[in-house]
Amino acid sequence: MERSALISPELESQLTLLLQKLTTPVELTCFAGTDDKSREMVCFLNHLASLSPKLSCSFPNPAQESELSQKMDTSLLPATGVAPAGEVPRMIFHGIPGGKEITAFAAAVLCAGQAAKPLDKPTLKDIGKLKKPMVLQVCVSLSCQHCAQLVAHAQRIAWENPLVTAHMIDANLYPQLVSAYNITRVPLTVIDGSTAIPGGKTMAELTTLLLKH
């Protein structure tokens, strides 16, 4: 197996310990293109999956239109979904979760593997108040600490509420999005492709914004 340059020996040791917490199988579904970033992501996922028997990877053909490809938005490759094995992902990453975003990616894996720390009851109650389908796009830079925290919050909301889908998008890879949303700084959260909200947010702040949307 080819080792990913994104997973250093030190990080591999940390991830191996973290992945031991998984209690149910997790599938990493990646729609990958032929570009360098897609190949880098495939290598990263295969390396990561080798660290736990509860992790597996699948690589569907992005050229074949399906409900899954639409849900994961294969217009932005590579697109990787994290979900319990056999389920449709609601936590999706576009680009490579290197840098600070490895923390958010690991958090998504823990959620899907039923190993994340439980949220407090008031927070869960507020997330449960979201009653309509909603798509979040969190545009980030891989070197931004506030970005990673916001992605983790958005992904956790999506995990707790099946009506929400959350996408992490590395803005540096998709200039069409930068132009479409006039992105001048990150993080930027786009709700349902229409409402763009700049800046970092706590989970409570993000939930409140979604309830008002």
Side-chain angles (χ1 to χ4, degrees):
M1 182 201 70
E2 183 182 359
R3 295 179 59 86
S4 170
L6 296 172
I7 302 179
S8 65
E10 180 182 5
L11 179 57
E12 181 176 295
S13 297
Q14 294 171 351
L15 288 171
T16 300
L17 288 174
L18 195 68
L19 295 173
Q20 288 177 1
K21 298 179 180 181
L22 301 180
T23 61
T24 58
V26 175
E27 185 171 14
L28 308 173
T29 303
C30 180
F31 287 94
T34 58
D35 57 288
D36 289 342
K37 288 298 180 183
S38 288
R39 287 191 289 268
E40 194 176 352
M41 188 59 178
V42 169
C43 182
F44 168 79
L45 293 173
N46 282 327
H47 188 167
L48 182 65
S50 74
L51 303 181
S52 171
K54 285 190 166 62
L55 269 184
S56 63
C57 299
S58 63
F59 301 97
N61 184 350
Q64 294 180 344
E65 285 290 333
S66 65
E67 182 181 350
L68 180 61
S69 67
Q70 292 178 358
K71 175 87 171 180
M72 290 179 54
D73 188 4
T74 54
S75 68
L76 304 173
L77 297 178
T80 303
V82 180
E87 294 189 15
V88 175
R90 300 192 305 275
M91 301 178 289
I92 301 158
F93 294 76
H94 298 273
I96 302 169
K100 304 294 185 183
E101 289 300 332
I102 187 67
T103 304
F105 193 85
V109 172
L110 289 179
C111 283
Q114 303 290 348
K117 183 179 178 180
L119 297 177
D120 60 82
K121 290 183 178 179
T123 299
L124 285 172
K125 183 178 180 180
D126 286 342
I127 293 173
K129 293 176 182 177
L130 299 170
K131 300 300 185 183
K132 61 182 180 180
M134 198 169 295
V135 176
L136 310 182
Q137 296 170 297
V138 184
C139 302
V140 307
S141 165
L142 299 185
S143 61
C144 167
Q145 181 63 49
H146 294 299
C147 293
Q149 292 172 345
L150 181 57
V151 169
H153 295 330
Q155 302 280 14
R156 186 60 186 264
I157 291 170
W159 170 251
E160 299 292 349
N161 190 317
L163 293 175
V164 181
T165 301
H167 298 253
M168 180 220 81
I169 300 173
D170 181 357
N172 293 318
L173 297 184
Y174 311 105
Q176 68 271 34
L177 281 184
V178 174
S179 176
Y181 297 123
N182 191 29
I183 300 174
T184 57
R185 64 186 180 95
V186 291
L188 181 80
T189 304
V190 181
I191 305 174
D192 290 339
S194 59
T195 304
I197 302 167
K201 299 287 182 289
T202 65
M203 188 177 295
E205 290 171 338
L206 181 58
T207 305
T208 298
L209 286 170
L210 298 181
L211 287 168
K212 291 179 178 178
H213 179 69

